[in-house]
Amino acid sequence: VQLQASGGGLVQAGGSLRLSCAASGFTFEDYAIGWFRRGPDYEAEGVACISNQTDHTHYYRSARGRFTISRDSADKKVYLRIDNLKPEDTALYLCAASKLGRNGAFNCHINGMDYWGTGTQVTVSS
């Protein structure tokens, strides 16, 4: 199983980034993919998740409005677009996968993810 995050970098406040998570080694449609981040002053927090079967998404409260999660099933990639970047968005962004449950239900909690991938660093300058 591999989850490879990419797309991070150093950006100025107000800019945008699109992070990518490339998945391989498991049946993409049987999982949900989530984005989490680990900042300099906190352990980790959830950002957003998306089902790979339906269009169901979940955003953590802090991510509503400027973050958009999407997927490309053909390429087995999940994206996280961040608009109007702020210095407090500076973090290591990680993607993870959780197996879909009955009726397509999914877990979008840090402790509920089955596989974790590498991270991509986002640094926002003021």
Side-chain angles (χ1 to χ4, degrees):
V1 173
Q2 275 199 320
L3 294 161
Q4 182 73 45
S6 62
L10 174 62
V11 294
Q12 285 192 327
S16 297
L17 276 177
R18 190 180 77 159
L19 309 182
S20 297
C21 177
S24 62
F26 59 95
T27 304
F28 188 75
E29 295 76 17
D30 287 347
Y31 285 79
I33 302 291
W35 284 97
F36 302 82
R37 63 185 184 180
R38 187 186 303 148
D41 299 323
Y42 56 92
E43 277 294 315
E45 65 177 13
V47 178
C49 293
I50 187 167
S51 166
N52 289 343
Q53 272 189 8
T54 68
D55 291 331
H56 188 198
T57 58
H58 171 78
Y59 291 89
Y60 279 77
R61 185 173 299 178
S62 60
R64 292 172 190 168
R66 298 187 296 114
F67 293 72
T68 305
I69 191 169
S70 62
R71 74 167 187 278
D72 183 331
S73 296
D75 285 345
K76 296 185 180 180
K77 289 185 177 179
V78 171
Y79 302 100
L80 182 72
R81 180 177 174 88
I82 314 171
D83 293 312
N84 190 22
L85 279 155
K86 302 179 179 181
E88 52 263 42
D89 294 322
T90 294
L92 179 68
Y93 284 74
L94 301 140
C95 59
S98 69
K99 190 94 163 35
L100 294 172
R102 192 174 297 179
N103 299 322
F106 64 84
N107 191 329
C108 192
H109 191 273
I110 288 174
N111 293 333
M113 309 311 285
D114 296 303
Y115 304 114
W116 286 86
T118 60
T120 186
Q121 179 67 37
V122 173
T123 302
V124 184
S125 62
S126 56

